[in-house]
Amino acid sequence: MASLKGKLETEIEIKANPQKFYEIFKKQAHQVPNATDHIQAVEVHEGDWETHGSVKLWNYTVEGNAEVFKEKVEFDDASKTVTLVGVEGDVMKCYKIFKPIFKVTPKGGGGLATLSIEYEKLRADVPAPNKYFTMMLNIAKDVDAHLVKA
């Protein structure tokens, strides 16, 4: 029997300052819609923009479909890692666990962004979340380009 748990992961080089890239996902998520067409809006649902454990609601478009994702943010300043722990929304109809993770490592003049999604499917016939992973990769590239222009 195939495992319902999985992880998608890739690394991309970023030209932006790694600290700024980390902080946009950690505490300036409201700026993400300005950087990419994939995200229409981000709102704080509980807590605030900067506190570990705050809950945010993301409105986004994936493969032409408007969807919603509610997450509880976790971050680790030492490793520059932001984890969006899925609590509600469209993805939770297919996945019991859904955690997009952004991790940044300084490298040369810019950095290396490690993007991953840890997930557990609700059923064996649910596909791996490749469409969300592609969107995540595109968002990271858009945010990098946005920060370089700023």
Side-chain angles (χ1 to χ4, degrees):
M1 187 175 140
S3 172
L4 297 178
K5 291 184 177 182
K7 183 176 183 178
L8 300 172
E9 186 171 86
T10 192
E11 283 184 342
I12 60 167
E13 287 197 12
I14 58 170
K15 295 183 180 79
N17 175 303
Q19 186 65 29
K20 286 184 177 171
F21 187 89
Y22 168 62
E23 286 181 355
I24 204 163
F25 291 103
K26 177 189 170 183
K27 62 182 186 181
Q28 298 166 338
H30 54 279
Q31 291 189 17
V32 176
N34 302 332
T36 182
D37 293 337
H38 297 280
I39 305 291
Q40 282 69 59
V42 187
E43 298 167 15
V44 170
H45 190 72
E46 291 170 26
D48 57 37
W49 291 109
E50 300 185 21
T51 307
H52 184 95
S54 290
V55 176
K56 290 189 288 301
L57 195 62
W58 296 71
N59 294 80
Y60 61 91
T61 305
V62 61
E63 294 183 346
N65 298 315
E67 295 190 3
V68 176
F69 179 57
K70 188 189 280 188
E71 50 81 8
K72 183 178 276 201
V73 69
E74 296 178 353
F75 45 80
D76 180 344
D77 289 337
S79 65
K80 292 187 180 23
T81 303
V82 177
T83 303
L84 308 179
V85 180
V87 289
E88 278 178 34
D90 291 275
V91 292
M92 305 316 282
K93 294 172 188 168
C94 296
Y95 304 95
K96 181 179 174 182
I97 296 170
F98 190 86
K99 293 186 194 175
I101 303 165
F102 295 86
K103 180 178 187 213
V104 193
T105 311
K107 181 186 171 208
L112 209 54
T114 304
L115 311 173
S116 56
I117 296 178
E118 292 178 3
Y119 64 92
E120 182 178 339
K121 304 175 195 179
L122 286 172
R123 301 176 311 280
D125 63 347
V126 170
N130 294 321
K131 66 181 181 180
Y132 297 105
F133 192 59
T134 300
M135 179 179 75
M136 183 182 183
L137 183 61
N138 289 331
I139 290 167
K141 289 176 179 175
D142 290 348
V143 165
D144 182 41
H146 178 76
L147 289 171
V148 169
K149 280 190 310 205

